[in-house]
Amino acid sequence: MMNGGGMNGGMGGFFGFGFIWILIIIAIIAIVIWMMKPGTSNKPDHTSNTKPLDTLKERLARGEISEEEYDRLKRKLEE
């Protein structure tokens, strides 16, 4: 008198639970990838003054600012 109804119900529950695990694994992978993207690190950026100083040097070389202005702005950036 087996109609197989119990077996199908049990398999449906198993596949539903397996689907949840797949979603959890995908979410974990997505979080890891998101954390590894550039710009999301919590490390201090020691080169943060490099770009402004380079720009300042270029402005001095082009004659846009005087040496006195360069020195003043450089001190300001290094604070």
Side-chain angles (χ1 to χ4, degrees), residues 21-70:
W21 276 109
I22 291 172
L23 290 177
I24 290 171
I25 291 170
I26 290 172
I28 290 171
I29 291 171
I31 290 169
V32 168
I33 291 171
W34 176 75
M35 291 176 68
M36 292 175 58
K37 286 192 325 186
T40 58
S41 70
N42 293 329
K43 292 188 267 183
D45 188 10
H46 295 293
T47 61
S48 62
N49 281 344
T50 303
K51 179 70 173 155
L53 284 176
D54 288 343
T55 304
L56 198 57
K57 288 176 186 176
E58 290 172 8
R59 289 184 65 197
L60 178 63
R62 288 191 298 255
E64 294 177 8
I65 58 174
S66 66
E67 287 184 34
E68 293 80 18
E69 184 73 4
Y70 171 83

